[in-house]
Amino acid sequence: MDTNPPDHSINFCQACAIRNRAICADLESAEIDLLNKIGSRRRLKPGEQILWEGEEAVLVANVIEGVLKLSTQTVDGKEQILGLAYPSDFLGRPFGSTTPYGVEALSDAHVCTFRRSDFERFAREHPRLEHKLLERTLSELDRTRRWMLLLGRMNAEQKLASFLLETSERLTPADCAFTMDEAPMQFTLPLTRQQIADVLGLTIETVSRQFSKMKKDGLIDLPTRREVTILERAALEDLAG
Amino acid sequence: MDTNPPDHSINFCQACAIRNRAICADLESAEIDLLNKIGSRRRLKPGEQILWEGEEAVLVANVIEGVLKLSTQTVDGKEQILGLAYPSDFLGRPFGSTTPYGVEALSDAHVCTFRRSDFERFAREHPRLEHKLLERTLSELDRTRRWMLLLGRMNAEQKLASFLLETSERLTPADCAFTMDEAPMQFTLPLTRQQIADVLGLTIETVSRQFSKMKKDGLIDLPTRREVTILERAALEDLAG
DNA sequence: CGTCCTGTTGAGGTGGGTCAACATTCGTGG
DNA sequence: CCACGAATGTTGACCCACCTCAACAGGACG
């Protein structure tokens, strides 16, 4: 495994690409220095796992780059992806003893990890960090609840349309100047068809068929398996509801 | 509407039935007095709504007694219940501008409400409260993610079995001495068939058929529409997976 | 060039949705 | 207390969206 050893020669947090969006956003310079001291960075390859469902929760982390999946399994082995983590998202379960889901990198990824005990101590001593984490957790809960509507009440077409729209938005950095309202936009899916199926609660065949249908209908183009071009965003939004 | 005016003649929080489970659990006596001053109690009838999806978030609340539902609707009018709130659960969206879901009482209910701005100010001044809220939100996020597995990957039978087990547990106060491991246990459903369907992402007919099937198979009994007796808990757990 | 892996497409089956008739319970007012 | 109508729940018949199984296609990589 290429777990890089902690390197404190420069202050990572200060320079961090996601600094103004992550939980450390509101901290003061001195606090950031401290946080930097207890964290270490780690690079992950696609498929590499950093948290295991049910294991003792020893790590928490911040996503700096890449996409990761949070997932769990049914007794009969079917997987359900519980969520995707993008840059600035928080991973792990502070203030709880076991990690409730597995976390695996989908793309090359870069995370900032903390020993849970270190992180918790720091959080308790710095209410501002804890407040930021609370806001983030509340937002994540909102997002997760919206996803329940998708799983419980949408058909395959609506699910895929919603997924493509959400993915295109989350892959576009928030500070990006181009709003791209109606412009065709292209991106690389961080997931295989199987993983998309696991996110949407569908089978791989159904996902594939819906992709083909949307392409035939001219809503999207599929230059390669992993590339998607949204041609008719408004139409997709109609489908998604 | 029978909105009771705030009544500060006695200190509600100190005497509160859910005091040791709710977010105020770790507060000191003096803090509780303060919190008590900014909150007011309110009784709700079944069907009465206290938060509306999309409206400006002006209230947050703690459930003291009863069961409430959090829900949202699709464009085509189908409802999806996002969660149920039981005593000691927290309602509303602090640190956000709009309430992301509607909240309606399912049974006679009793809540302790705060103006969001008051609550937020209090929380920021009392990190212990904020910490408690964070822990609660993290747990709720875990619970919600487990529910996603149910919605995305379970069939009707598994969904209903899981629902009955969870409901029986949440209706049994945690401090109840009887663990009732294998004993037959009875409880009153706080939801109509339609609402159960909305929780599970099913239709009312499918819910009804699954109830009938479980009764025929001797797993449960249904003395009245609202009463359920679990006869074979182990078998239900097998079904739920 | 062959093997492996991922994705696509087709054919057919089925779980649960839809529509409809009926049953039961509840609420209201006589 | 009963009578009536409305609301809620049950059951049956049918259908369709999605799942299952299976064959095949296209890259990636040795």
Side-chain angles (χ1 to χ4, degrees):
Chain A
M1 297 295 114
D2 75 342
T3 318
N4 298 342
D7 172 357
H8 297 125
S9 59
I10 63 164
N11 183 326
F12 280 122
C13 294
Q14 295 280 15
C16 185
I18 56 157
R19 162 127 166 57
N20 51 350
R21 287 187 292 143
I23 49 168
C24 40
D26 277 354
L27 299 182
E28 284 168 8
S29 191
E31 292 175 315
I32 291 187
D33 282 344
L34 280 167
L35 188 60
N36 192 53
K37 284 216 177 57
I38 62 171
S40 34
R41 293 206 162 190
R42 183 167 162 198
R43 294 190 173 278
L44 300 167
K45 294 259 158 239
E48 205 174 333
Q49 195 152 355
I50 62 163
L51 295 176
W52 285 262
E53 180 175 3
E55 82 166 357
E56 210 190 335
V58 290
L59 280 185
V60 299
N62 247 306
V63 182
I64 295 165
E65 207 187 295
V67 185
L68 299 91
K69 67 166 193 192
L70 325 183
S71 66
T72 183
Q73 322 228 160
T74 52
V75 265
D76 49 334
K78 280 183 286 191
E79 181 165 17
Q80 174 68 49
I81 292 186
L82 300 175
L84 299 175
Y86 290 86
S88 90
D89 284 353
F90 186 83
L91 295 171
R93 181 61 165 90
F95 314 114
S97 56
T98 60
T99 307
Y101 44 77
V103 178
E104 178 187 317
L106 295 176
S107 63
D108 280 310
H110 202 174
V111 296
C112 183
T113 67
F114 303 90
R115 281 178 38 217
R116 185 168 70 90
S117 52
D118 290 344
F119 182 84
E120 287 181 6
R121 186 162 5 88
F122 187 91
R124 296 201 151 225
E125 286 163 7
H126 300 268
R128 226 175 338 208
L129 178 74
E130 194 156 79
H131 179 77
K132 212 67 196 167
L133 182 57
L134 173 58
E135 289 194 351
R136 186 158 280 282
T137 307
L138 285 163
S139 301
E140 190 58 32
L141 183 55
D142 288 347
R143 182 200 303 283
T144 303
R145 284 184 165 141
R146 264 179 273 125
W147 212 248
M148 291 177 72
L149 180 65
L150 176 145
L151 289 174
R153 290 299 186 204
M154 288 188 183
N155 62 28
E157 184 176 55
Q158 294 172 314
K159 285 179 177 180
L160 188 58
S162 302
F163 170 77
L164 290 175
L165 290 171
E166 163 146 345
T167 305
S168 75
E169 276 154 30
R170 298 205 73 184
L171 285 176
T172 308
D175 49 351
C176 180
F178 304 103
T179 48
M180 319 195 165
D181 271 348
E182 293 300 330
M185 68 176 289
Q186 185 163 157
F187 55 93
T188 301
L189 289 170
L191 295 82
T192 64
R193 295 287 186 271
Q194 180 61 61
Q195 287 162 344
I196 295 172
D198 291 336
V199 169
L200 301 179
L202 297 171
T203 58
I204 186 174
E205 296 94 330
T206 301
V207 171
S208 186
R209 278 187 253 271
Q210 291 299 331
F211 264 119
S212 301
K213 180 159 175 296
M214 285 182 185
K215 181 175 177 179
K216 183 166 69 65
D217 295 349
L219 301 188
I220 60 173
D221 192 25
L222 301 167
T224 73
R225 304 171 157 195
R226 288 294 189 121
E227 299 284 319
V228 179
T229 310
I230 294 184
L231 299 173
E232 298 287 346
R233 171 171 288 264
L236 270 190
E237 279 163 358
D238 280 352
L239 285 187
Chain B
M1 297 294 118
D2 75 343
T3 318
N4 297 342
D7 172 356
H8 298 124
S9 58
I10 64 164
N11 183 326
F12 280 122
C13 295
Q14 295 282 13
C16 185
I18 57 157
R19 162 125 166 57
N20 50 350
R21 287 188 292 143
I23 48 168
C24 40
D26 277 354
L27 299 182
E28 283 167 8
S29 190
E31 292 175 316
I32 291 188
D33 282 344
L34 280 168
L35 189 59
N36 192 51
K37 286 217 176 56
I38 62 170
S40 31
R41 293 206 162 190
R42 183 166 163 198
R43 293 191 173 279
L44 300 167
K45 295 258 157 238
E48 205 173 331
Q49 195 153 358
I50 62 162
L51 295 176
W52 285 262
E53 180 177 1
E55 83 166 356
E56 211 191 335
V58 291
L59 279 186
V60 298
N62 247 305
V63 182
I64 296 164
E65 207 187 294
V67 185
L68 299 92
K69 67 168 192 191
L70 325 183
S71 66
T72 180
Q73 324 229 157
T74 52
V75 265
D76 49 334
K78 281 183 286 192
E79 181 166 17
Q80 174 68 49
I81 293 186
L82 300 175
L84 299 175
Y86 290 86
S88 89
D89 284 353
F90 186 83
L91 295 171
R93 180 61 165 90
F95 315 114
S97 56
T98 61
T99 305
Y101 45 77
V103 178
E104 178 186 318
L106 295 176
S107 62
D108 280 310
H110 202 175
V111 296
C112 182
T113 66
F114 304 89
R115 281 176 39 215
R116 185 168 70 90
S117 52
D118 290 345
F119 182 84
E120 287 181 7
R121 187 162 3 87
F122 187 91
R124 296 198 153 231
E125 287 163 7
H126 300 268
R128 230 177 333 211
L129 178 74
E130 194 157 78
H131 179 77
K132 211 68 195 167
L133 182 58
L134 173 58
E135 288 194 353
R136 185 158 282 281
T137 307
L138 285 163
S139 302
E140 189 58 31
L141 184 55
D142 288 345
R143 183 201 302 284
T144 303
R145 284 184 164 142
R146 265 180 273 125
W147 213 247
M148 291 177 72
L149 180 65
L150 177 144
L151 289 174
R153 290 299 185 205
M154 288 187 183
N155 62 27
E157 184 176 54
Q158 294 172 314
K159 285 179 177 180
L160 188 60
S162 302
F163 170 78
L164 290 174
L165 290 170
E166 163 146 346
T167 305
S168 75
E169 276 153 31
R170 298 204 73 184
L171 285 176
T172 309
D175 50 349
C176 180
F178 304 103
T179 48
M180 318 195 165
D181 272 346
E182 293 300 328
M185 67 175 289
Q186 185 163 157
F187 55 91
T188 301
L189 289 170
L191 293 83
T192 64
R193 294 288 186 271
Q194 180 62 60
Q195 287 161 344
I196 295 171
D198 290 337
V199 169
L200 300 179
L202 296 171
T203 59
I204 185 174
E205 294 94 330
T206 301
V207 171
S208 186
R209 278 187 255 269
Q210 292 298 331
F211 265 118
S212 302
K213 180 157 176 296
M214 285 182 184
K215 182 175 177 179
K216 183 167 68 67
D217 295 349
L219 302 187
I220 60 173
D221 193 25
L222 301 166
T224 74
R225 307 172 154 193
R226 289 295 189 121
E227 299 284 319
V228 180
T229 311
I230 294 183
L231 300 173
E232 298 286 347
R233 171 171 288 264
L236 271 189
E237 279 163 359
D238 280 352
L239 285 186

